[in-house]
Amino acid sequence: MSWQPDPNALNQLLDALSKTSHPDNAIQQQVQQFLAKFSNDPQYARYLALIFSTPSIPVEVRRIAGLLVKTVVSNVAQYQRIPPDSVQFIKESVFVCIDDVVNISIQKTAGIILTTLVSVDVRHAPNVLQMLAQKVEGGNPIIAEAAFGAISIVCEDSANSLHENAPQLLNEMIPFFISKFDNPSAKIRSYAIASTNQFAISHSDALIAHLKMYVQALYRRATDPDREVIKNVCQGLVLVLEIRPDELQAEMTALIQFMLKCTESEDATVALEACEFWLSFAEQDNLMDHLEPYLNELVRVLLKGMVYSENDLMNMGPDVEDSHIADRAEDIKPRFHKAKSHATDLSDEQKKQLKEQQKAAGGGDDDDDDDDDDDDDDDDASNEWTLRKCSAAALDVLSNVYMDGILEPFLPLLKQFLSSPDWKYREAGVLALGAISEGCNNGIEPHLRDLVKFLTTCLTDTKPLVRSITCWTLSRYSRWIVYGPEQSQPEPNHQEIYFQPVLQGLLIMILDNSKRVQEAGCSALATLEEEAQEALTPFLPHILNTLSNAFQKYQHKNLLILYDAVGTLADSVGAALNNPAFIPVLLGPLVEKWKVIENDDREIFPLLECLSSVAIALGPGFAQMSPPVWERCLIIVQNNLQRQLMYKAALAENAYADEPDMDFVIVALDLLSGVVQGLGEGALNLVASSNPPIMDVVEFCMRDDSADVRQSAYALLGDLIISTFAVVKPRLDSIFPLIIHQIGRREEMFEMSVCNNATWATGELALQLGPEASRFIQPLLPVLVTIVNAGNADRRIRTLQENAAITLGRFGMVCPAEMAPAMQHFAYGWCAALRDVRDNAEKETAFKGMCMMVQANPQGMLQTIAFFCDAIVRWLRPSISMNDMFKQTLTGYRNGLGQAQWEQLTSGFPEQTREKLRQRYEL
């Protein structure tokens, strides 16, 4: 027997739906209560579908019913309660509504319901797509367009699911889509191309099987009069370029010309899709020759695309002095803290590897990556991807491909833009100059004397947008501004001519009356600080006074960037801040913020991060503030660990509880670490009197489920070992098994940074224990050897390998006799891990330990002596004691082998290695 609705229930539901927009709040609440109660009926969605598909019911009531069907279906728990026959009824009712050519809102809602059904349960896809395809073929153009509109949304929402679960269906549907690329209806052509493009994004096998047909159909539409079609054609061709560039090679010249034309389209959406082509093209090394003849034209087009459009400016809002206006809540990005990671003194390339490792471990948020601030033109305070941003990004990547070759067309255009009376062109020129800074570093260098002087004058431009982009571009040339040219001798007074005016200009920008300029000035100063380091010391009074004044002036959002600038200053100049005249200027504003921010306010994150850097820099100068900071951090950690226990208990009982934000624990642990690192041995009394005992906190956090919490716990452990070992030593028996277990988890990528910190802390432990460390060698050695011998195929593991090698060397330094017998099992991996690490104290302890192991067991290194010598000669400036130990160790080899055998052994070394051995060690 077919289902029949209860007339009373149906009428009540109709009455409720008709009152959903009633002006009386009390009636609206009654409606919501009624609907919430009715939604428990398994037939609720069937009643709604019936109302939605009944033409005699008012359209607005039908539309609301349809949207409620969509809401029920999209809720997995509610959907699973709907009987199968009701699901079929819903589909049939909704399909009928696709034919409603009078009420377009009903048509659109029907399409939304069908796409939701497929996204929730892909088993509906064959029936839904095939029924919609029949309506496309039905002859009524309005119904056909509505049906294909629904198809396009299904493809957009469920492409990956269809690729994985319905490959046979796609083999049928994709040729159907492609056949509609030439349909008389522009809407259908556009929908057909957009639908097919979704399967290029998902790299669907069905699309690859029909790729030639797809590409040829896209080419046929290259002259389409409809801009939406052209936009989708551009998108499709970009996708093909990414997945199968060989399919485009035969027509590459015509394709480049087409994309150049589209990148200049008056339609911003077409221009943006076309501009993506150049970003993808730059990744295709084997196609670069095709583009070279068009470089002049492309550079012109990209510079034109960097000019703010009227729409850009309208979306950004007024470019005015607004520092007195409070920030809107929606303008403030959520703040996430990154757990502290220990690394040796890394090269720029190694820093990138560590960043990749942290990102793979889930430690980064793209929107809040301070390390990348100098790589993004975000001065317009908008997250929207625009033609301007895409053009700048394309010029950036192309300059890294063609390098100085791009300057020939670029420089004359740059001159035109920078000298334009129109501020928008000047601003675009400054942006372009920043975009090519990395790729054209060598070629642009001879022009920087004039350009940097020009940019410094741009800081006084009347337009805030020009001032803000100038800050960003200056930051891109920070190294030259501080140190001068790399390829020629800098002027004797280079810093006076360039560095000081730029620094002065940025400090003025920090106190600008435009929030946008303040943000750009702070970010640029942070970048300059990282380059300048101790060169900032003479200017600290001016810098500190400016930053202190900024704390009084800034609204909420820019305070976050200001904290970063202060923290970076502390990292850069270090102990130079520990000056009685500087401390109150530096700490005063931070203490004021410290007093007003609550412990459970996420805005405490940047403050505590900043204080961590300041504590390390001030050292003993932070002693007065250390006790209240220590106490508050412990309270924050305790409170959130307690919330975590309550949350887990609630989950175990299937009860509701708010999940605690463990970032509070992480940032507090990191500040505790900064206090210990800054005070050094002077932290012992503070640490020893900690309540609760600090090692209780550390050990508890070492067992936490969160990798980020454990990462910070191991960083704190390492600092406690270095400065207050007496507090750590009694707990070694309980914490060392945790360390071994943690280091052994290095194959889990999200654990990599935790393992890195644990390994570093273990090396520090060896130095403190001395010969007593021997009892830990047996369990530790296998995990460390596995790490150093893992090879370098995965570059994200290299920082961990360096710390593992240093730790092995340190154990060798304090227990050479116990470590030496195992040396042959890790000698090669050890040399490979440390050969490229910069000279520093940690590396020195590792090499001294290795030399002591070699002296105890010369045979253990003999098979890898060439690699050991290579690692030795790569030292640039070894200390006297290190150099003497190298000479003693290598001379011992030569004397033990005899001169003839030594010469035979070293004859296979690279000439450069042999020459350095002769020069440094007379070997």
Side-chain angles (χ1 to χ4, degrees):
M1 181 178 176
S2 63
W3 174 76
Q4 295 294 323
D6 180 335
N8 186 45
L10 180 61
N11 287 331
Q12 286 180 328
L13 183 56
L14 280 167
D15 180 62
L17 294 177
S18 69
K19 294 176 180 176
T20 53
S21 300
H22 198 284
D24 188 329
N25 287 336
I27 292 177
Q28 282 196 29
Q29 287 181 352
Q30 291 174 6
V31 168
Q32 294 304 319
Q33 290 171 1
F34 171 79
L35 292 176
K37 183 178 179 181
F38 203 156
S39 67
N40 294 319
D41 187 329
Q43 300 293 352
Y44 174 57
R46 192 166 191 162
Y47 275 97
L48 292 170
L50 175 64
I51 293 170
F52 176 64
S53 59
T54 303
S56 60
I57 294 173
V59 171
E60 183 58 20
V61 173
R62 292 174 61 196
R63 189 184 69 83
I64 293 170
L67 292 176
L68 287 173
V69 173
K70 182 258 184 186
T71 301
V72 173
V73 170
S74 62
N75 184 308
V76 175
Q78 282 188 295
Y79 169 75
Q80 289 174 345
R81 292 202 304 267
I82 303 175
D85 63 323
S86 293
V87 173
Q88 184 60 32
F89 178 86
I90 291 168
K91 277 199 295 185
E92 292 172 355
S93 300
V94 172
F95 273 129
V96 169
C97 294
I98 292 287
D99 296 341
D100 193 338
V101 296
V102 176
N103 301 299
I104 302 302
S105 65
I106 299 299
Q107 260 191 346
K108 288 183 177 178
T109 305
I112 291 170
I113 297 170
L114 292 172
T115 58
T116 304
L117 267 172
V118 175
S119 66
V120 170
D121 188 347
V122 74
R123 291 174 298 178
H124 293 300
N127 178 237
V128 168
L129 287 177
Q130 288 164 358
M131 289 289 289
L132 289 173
Q134 289 177 16
K135 291 184 179 295
V136 171
E137 300 282 37
N140 185 312
I142 298 176
I143 295 174
E145 288 174 0
F148 223 135
I151 289 173
S152 71
I153 302 174
V154 170
C155 295
E156 182 178 354
D157 290 350
S158 304
N160 287 328
S161 181
L162 291 168
H163 166 60
E164 293 170 3
N165 300 295
Q168 184 55 46
L169 174 64
L170 292 186
N171 279 326
E172 300 171 7
M173 296 306 301
I174 284 177
F176 170 75
F177 298 160
I178 295 173
S179 73
K180 301 304 176 187
F181 282 21
D182 300 319
N183 192 275
S185 165
K187 279 190 176 181
I188 289 180
R189 296 198 301 273
S190 179
Y191 289 145
I193 298 170
S195 300
T196 314
N197 290 351
Q198 293 302 320
F199 301 101
I201 294 172
S202 63
H203 295 200
S204 165
D205 294 335
L207 180 75
I208 300 300
H210 298 91
L211 194 62
K212 289 187 183 298
M213 181 194 305
Y214 173 49
V215 170
Q216 292 304 313
L218 288 173
Y219 283 157
R220 288 198 305 273
R221 299 268 45 94
T223 57
D224 198 290
D226 186 84
R227 290 181 178 180
E228 190 68 20
V229 172
I230 291 294
K231 182 193 81 171
N232 290 334
V233 168
C234 289
Q235 184 194 48
L237 291 170
V238 170
L239 291 167
V240 175
L241 180 66
E242 291 172 357
I243 61 175
R244 285 289 298 275
D246 54 297
E247 288 292 334
L248 302 175
Q249 197 151 357
E251 301 292 337
M252 189 56 68
T253 297
L255 180 56
I256 289 171
Q257 293 171 346
F258 169 72
M259 287 297 185
L260 279 169
K261 178 183 176 183
C262 290
T263 309
E264 284 196 280
S265 171
E266 293 180 4
D267 186 303
T269 61
V270 172
L272 178 56
E273 288 294 347
C275 196
E276 296 280 357
F277 181 80
W278 313 115
L279 285 172
S280 298
F281 201 101
E283 298 175 4
Q284 309 297 331
D285 294 340
N286 59 327
L287 297 180
M288 286 300 110
D289 291 345
H290 291 276
L291 187 56
E292 202 157 340
Y294 298 94
L295 264 187
N296 289 16
E297 181 67 6
L298 177 56
V299 169
R300 180 193 67 78
V301 169
L302 292 178
L303 259 71
K304 179 183 175 184
M306 289 184 220
V307 178
Y308 274 119
S309 70
E310 292 305 317
N311 194 51
D312 290 335
L313 296 174
M314 186 170 59
N315 289 338
M316 288 168 58
D319 186 29
V320 295
E321 295 184 352
D322 57 355
S323 62
H324 61 288
I325 301 173
D327 294 330
R328 300 177 305 170
E330 58 266 32
D331 292 333
I332 302 166
K333 295 179 182 177
R335 179 79 183 188
F336 301 96
H337 177 70
K338 298 174 192 173
K340 184 175 180 180
S341 183
H342 180 87
T344 50
D345 191 10
L346 304 178
S347 66
D348 292 339
E349 178 61 24
Q350 289 166 321
K351 287 177 183 175
K352 289 181 180 178
Q353 293 164 13
L354 179 60
K355 199 183 296 180
E356 286 182 11
Q357 172 183 312
Q358 291 169 327
K359 187 174 180 181
D365 182 271
D366 292 340
D367 288 337
D368 192 36
D369 191 345
D370 293 334
D371 294 328
D372 287 337
D373 280 351
D374 63 342
D375 293 329
D376 297 314
D377 166 38
D378 197 29
D379 63 285
D380 62 4
S382 167
N383 293 323
E384 183 183 359
W385 185 240
T386 63
L387 176 62
R388 165 191 162 79
K389 291 182 179 180
C390 190
S391 297
L395 184 63
D396 188 339
V397 296
L398 287 167
S399 71
N400 277 281
V401 172
Y402 293 102
M403 294 187 286
D404 294 343
I406 213 166
L407 288 178
E408 183 178 347
F410 176 77
L411 287 174
L413 290 168
L414 178 67
K415 185 176 181 180
Q416 291 177 25
F417 274 56
L418 294 181
S419 60
S420 172
D422 187 333
W423 73 267
K424 293 191 293 294
Y425 281 84
R426 292 199 308 278
E427 194 276 346
V430 175
L431 169 60
L433 181 58
I436 58 99
S437 61
E438 183 180 326
C440 302
N441 183 51
N442 293 333
I444 201 67
E445 192 173 86
H447 305 277
L448 286 180
R449 291 177 178 175
D450 292 332
L451 287 171
V452 169
K453 289 178 181 177
F454 172 81
L455 289 172
T456 307
T457 66
C458 289
L459 293 174
T460 62
D461 196 285
T462 57
K463 293 297 295 184
L465 283 171
V466 174
R467 300 198 298 275
S468 64
I469 196 61
T470 301
C471 293
W472 176 78
T473 295
L474 282 169
S475 75
R476 300 274 284 185
Y477 292 98
S478 288
R479 186 164 188 80
W480 187 93
I481 289 167
V482 176
Y483 301 109
E486 296 181 359
Q487 302 174 74
S488 61
Q489 195 69 21
E491 297 171 67
N493 52 349
H494 175 88
Q495 288 200 348
E496 184 179 336
I497 298 173
Y498 303 102
F499 170 60
Q500 293 182 28
V502 168
L503 176 60
Q504 172 68 23
L506 292 179
L507 292 175
I508 293 172
M509 295 302 96
I510 286 172
L511 297 179
D512 198 272
N513 288 325
S514 162
K515 288 192 282 190
R516 183 178 287 120
V517 178
Q518 292 172 359
E519 177 183 2
C522 257
S523 295
L525 177 66
T527 304
L528 190 69
E529 288 170 344
E530 290 176 335
E531 284 291 351
Q533 300 284 312
E534 64 276 0
L536 295 167
T537 303
F539 311 102
L540 281 176
H542 189 188
I543 296 171
L544 289 171
N545 282 324
T546 299
L547 296 176
S548 179
N549 289 333
F551 274 104
Q552 308 305 316
K553 186 169 187 172
Y554 279 17
Q555 300 293 337
H556 184 92
K557 178 184 175 186
N558 283 350
L559 276 177
L560 307 182
I561 300 156
L562 182 58
Y563 285 128
D564 180 60
V566 173
T568 306
L569 177 67
D571 295 338
S572 300
V573 302
L577 283 176
N578 189 21
N579 180 318
F582 298 160
I583 292 174
V585 181
L586 175 63
L587 289 184
L590 299 178
V591 170
E592 289 304 311
K593 299 300 179 185
W594 172 267
K595 290 177 180 177
V596 299
I597 299 179
E598 300 291 336
N599 287 350
D600 57 357
D601 187 341
R602 291 182 65 89
E603 301 313 319
I604 204 170
F605 293 175
L607 172 61
L608 297 193
E609 290 169 5
C610 178
L611 282 172
S612 182
S613 294
V614 169
I616 294 168
L618 292 182
F622 198 72
Q624 186 174 352
M625 194 170 177
S626 293
V629 167
W630 188 269
E631 181 181 355
R632 187 172 184 180
C633 285
L634 285 176
I635 290 171
I636 292 172
V637 172
Q638 275 186 290
N639 288 348
N640 284 280
L641 291 179
Q642 185 63 37
R643 287 174 187 148
Q644 186 187 47
L645 291 175
M646 293 169 62
Y647 173 70
K648 288 181 177 179
L651 285 184
E653 297 175 5
N654 292 320
Y656 175 79
D658 289 326
E659 184 174 1
D661 186 346
M662 298 306 285
D663 277 357
F664 284 99
V665 175
I666 296 163
V667 74
L669 290 174
D670 288 349
L671 180 48
L672 292 173
S673 186
V675 170
V676 173
Q677 193 175 339
L679 296 181
E681 293 180 359
L684 183 57
N685 289 337
L686 179 66
V687 171
S689 61
S690 180
N691 183 24
I694 189 60
M695 285 306 299
D696 286 357
V697 175
V698 171
E699 184 172 342
F700 192 91
C701 291
M702 287 168 65
R703 301 175 186 273
D704 197 87
D705 295 335
S706 164
D708 285 340
V709 171
R710 280 181 278 115
Q711 181 177 332
S712 290
Y714 279 105
L716 175 55
L717 174 65
D719 287 320
L720 291 169
I721 289 170
I722 294 169
S723 300
T724 61
F725 184 58
V727 175
V728 179
K729 190 173 182 180
R731 305 293 287 264
L732 289 181
D733 287 338
S734 62
I735 66 172
F736 205 81
L738 299 176
I739 295 173
I740 297 296
H741 175 71
Q742 181 61 64
I743 298 174
R745 297 181 69 178
R746 61 97 185 165
E747 291 186 1
E748 303 170 54
M749 185 51 65
F750 60 89
E751 296 286 342
M752 189 77 75
S753 293
V754 195
C755 297
N756 190 51
N757 283 1
T759 304
W760 162 74
T762 308
E764 297 295 343
L765 179 62
L767 295 182
Q768 295 292 334
L769 283 171
E772 292 182 55
S774 60
R775 66 189 179 104
F776 296 117
I777 290 176
Q778 183 178 358
L780 181 66
L781 195 60
V783 291
L784 294 180
V785 170
T786 300
I787 290 170
V788 296
N789 289 338
N792 58 5
D794 187 347
R795 66 189 220 167
R796 291 170 296 187
I797 198 177
R798 291 183 194 172
T799 302
L800 177 58
Q801 289 179 313
E802 290 163 10
N803 273 317
I806 288 170
T807 299
L808 285 168
R810 288 177 162 185
F811 271 84
M813 187 179 181
V814 297
C815 304
E818 291 85 350
M819 290 288 292
M823 183 173 51
Q824 62 183 343
H825 299 299
F826 61 81
Y828 171 76
W830 188 93
C831 295
L834 293 182
R835 65 195 295 267
D836 293 323
V837 174
R838 292 177 179 176
D839 299 359
N840 61 63
E842 292 184 349
K843 179 180 175 182
E844 181 166 318
T845 59
F847 271 82
K848 284 182 175 177
M850 180 56 81
C851 287
M852 294 169 71
M853 285 186 277
V854 169
Q855 291 169 16
N857 177 22
Q859 290 296 318
M861 182 63 81
L862 194 59
Q863 296 300 313
T864 50
I865 186 67
F867 300 102
F868 186 47
C869 290
D870 170 69
I872 288 173
V873 301
R874 284 177 177 268
W875 278 76
L876 298 177
R877 287 177 292 277
S879 68
I880 294 174
S881 62
M882 184 78 262
N883 213 44
D884 288 347
M885 186 171 274
F886 284 150
K887 184 171 184 177
Q888 179 186 357
T889 304
L890 295 175
T891 302
Y893 262 120
R894 184 191 64 184
N895 294 343
L897 293 170
Q899 185 66 32
Q901 192 172 350
W902 172 258
E903 289 183 359
Q904 181 181 355
L905 180 68
T906 58
S907 64
F909 290 6
E911 178 56 36
Q912 186 178 16
T913 303
R914 294 203 306 273
E915 179 61 29
K916 287 186 177 179
L917 290 175
R918 284 193 293 268
Q919 290 175 357
R920 289 186 186 177
Y921 309 114
E922 300 174 355
L923 294 171

